[in-house]
């Protein structure tokens, strides 16, 4: 990553994941990132969220007094509770919050088995 700080593998971005039997929702707060710099992919039961936070540009004569916000590349691998239909994944980025809705594969949904009697 060159001279840029890499924030990969530091648990960034933090995520919340909840699910029911039909879908899972993953949310993450990643403010200050251009949505074009976010990459989302599915590999089996893994969700990959990658991106890059650019260093704020300073004007001539400015210098940092304090710099606490990380910058550089980041990436998270999140194990999902089931396989998802990658064609129906929906992602939204609003007010610094990334929200990803993942619909469960129809073949992986629980099936009720009727008990027969003789």
């Amino acid at each position: 990553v060159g001279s840029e700080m890499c924030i990969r593998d530091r648990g960034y971005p933090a995520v919340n994941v909840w699910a029911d039997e039909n879908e899972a929702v993953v949310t993450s707060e990643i403010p200050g990132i251009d949505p074009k710099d976010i990459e989302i992919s599915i590999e089996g039961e893994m969700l990959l969220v990658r991106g890059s936070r650019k260093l704020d540009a300073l004007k001539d004569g400015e210098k940092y007094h304090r710099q606490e916000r990380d910058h550089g590349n980041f990436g998270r691998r999140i194990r999902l509770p089931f396989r998802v239909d990658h064609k129906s994944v929906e992602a939204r980025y609003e007010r610094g919050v990334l929200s990803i809705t993942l619909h469960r594969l129809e073949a992986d949904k629980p099936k009720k088995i009727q008990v027969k009697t003789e």
Side-chain angles (χ1 to χ4, degrees):
V1 185
S3 63
E4 284 192 8
M5 180 186 302
C6 182
I7 51 181
R8 179 183 300 261
D9 299 327
R10 284 209 242 159
Y12 184 87
V15 297
N16 288 340
V17 181
W18 60 93
D20 62 21
E21 65 183 43
N22 296 312
E23 68 183 20
V25 176
V26 177
T27 61
S28 182
E29 295 177 5
I30 49 175
I33 295 178
D34 188 328
K36 292 179 283 191
D37 294 331
I38 301 171
E39 178 185 325
I40 299 166
S41 59
I42 304 290
E43 292 179 8
E45 291 178 16
M46 298 296 287
L47 170 68
L48 287 75
V49 178
R50 297 182 187 115
S52 178
R53 181 191 311 267
K54 293 178 176 53
L55 186 60
D56 295 331
L58 299 178
K59 296 176 187 169
D60 285 340
E62 289 183 332
K63 63 181 179 179
Y64 279 104
H65 172 70
R66 174 173 292 206
Q67 183 182 11
E68 295 181 356
R69 289 181 50 201
D70 286 337
H71 63 279
N73 298 323
F74 62 85
R76 282 294 304 268
R77 297 173 73 79
I78 300 115
R79 181 168 299 283
L80 299 170
F82 44 69
R83 292 186 308 147
V84 300
D85 179 1
H86 68 278
K87 294 177 184 175
S88 67
V89 174
E90 302 166 23
R92 297 176 53 141
Y93 183 74
E94 192 172 326
R95 296 177 40 199
V97 178
L98 177 64
S99 180
I100 306 167
T101 303
L102 306 127
H103 301 278
R104 190 173 195 163
L105 273 176
E106 195 63 38
D108 276 9
K109 288 184 180 178
K111 308 282 189 287
K112 292 189 178 188
I113 308 298
Q114 184 176 359
V115 178
K116 297 178 183 177
T117 60
E118 292 182 41

